[in-house]
Amino acid sequence: PPAARCTAPSASASALTMRASNAREFDAAARRDLLRATAGFALAGALELGCAPPPAAWAAQSLNKASSAGSAVNKDPDSLLRYGLPISQPDIRSIQKELEEVKGNSLKSYWSKALSNVRSARATLKAKGGKILDAVAQPRRSDATGYVTKLEAALDALEAKVASSDSEAAVSAYEIAINLVGAIEEAMVSGFPFEIPEEYAALPRLLGRATVELVLSRGPRSEEKSFDVDGELKPTIRVVLLLDGYNAPLTAGNFVDLVKKGFYNGMEVQRSDGFVVQTGDPRGIEPTDESAPNGYVQDGKLRNVPLEVFPAGTKSPVYGATFDEEGYGGAAATIPFQAYGALGMAREEYSADSASSQWFWLLFDSDLTPAGKNLLDGRYTCFGYTIENADSLRAVKVGDVIKSAKVLSGGDKLVTP
């Protein structure tokens, strides 16, 4: 049969998964109404069919969980990536939580709360620093010890900035401290946390994390020659992606491999509708030959990547099936579709393992993800986030071109057959 356009999730109530689409931009208010209707439609349909009511896990949970929403939703990709690391040391997580609250409280000028957060983090570090270091494998213990020493000084500096009630200075000091927490947490990761099923041995995999830089320019058919990013005209847009091989090693590995091969260089954006920005179809925006391969061809055969979704609290991803199909309905994902510019893998609507080269940025809006009704997590592979200049994605249109794509770091973690 003709090769279908793999697409990202649709806002249509009649297609809760994926559909073929070359949709252009449309009114944001109408999109919001559609998605809210879609969420209600899904819930009503489940009850009408006699399915069990949504589990309690769909209620708002801790801030890194996919099913939290509204004003409490964690939309910070750096925070989500920290929570996505395969570690379980509770004391460093407690320090992380306190520090992340410092930022929010400082921006709201809740200075007494922010000061309490800093002091709580320092008390935990002082009392539990030894246990934190015990959780670091010996090859990284020396590095982690240095990070802990620097964190102690960073917390002193942060307290001083918070005490001065200077939001800008407090947030700057926060960034130094939280980056040290992240470094300690990354040092705790020892080896790769699970075995990838042998049936996928022929696919590249990313055994860790990598960063990729994309530079986009206006397409040759565009009447506009620059991007309007918050009122500033730019000839190109540069974004940096962090690909998470700890949670989606095959999907992230496939992407890094294609970037290294130059597959995405010169490729046009094929969808931009205010919900997602999508690319990766080698046939272009309007394929003239529907029978042509809709993904990357290797050795004369389309290379497919399985659906790869990781329920929080489990030890390895689910392959080739959704959360619902494997009994994880309503579960949170370790790396949720919960940040603006989250990276998702597109696939054909009724084929879980049909992903190849097409992928999308989710233009996340917490208003479109009511509490307990995230329709993406566990149904599509999220394999990372945009960690620099994500806001510029709203300026990208159909026909814009990926001028260049290159791996900045982590390329050594790519393992190819």
Side-chain angles (χ1 to χ4, degrees), residues 240-283:
V240 176
L241 320 178
L242 191 145
L243 312 180
D244 188 4
Y246 289 129
N247 289 285
L250 298 181
T251 309
N254 178 69
F255 190 90
V256 171
D257 184 56
L258 293 179
V259 168
K260 283 192 166 187
K261 293 178 185 299
F263 180 82
Y264 294 115
N265 293 340
M267 187 166 289
E268 292 178 309
V269 170
Q270 292 131 15
R271 176 182 174 186
S272 179
D273 57 14
F275 184 62
V276 300
V277 172
Q278 182 176 329
T279 186
D281 188 340
R283 301 172 303 169

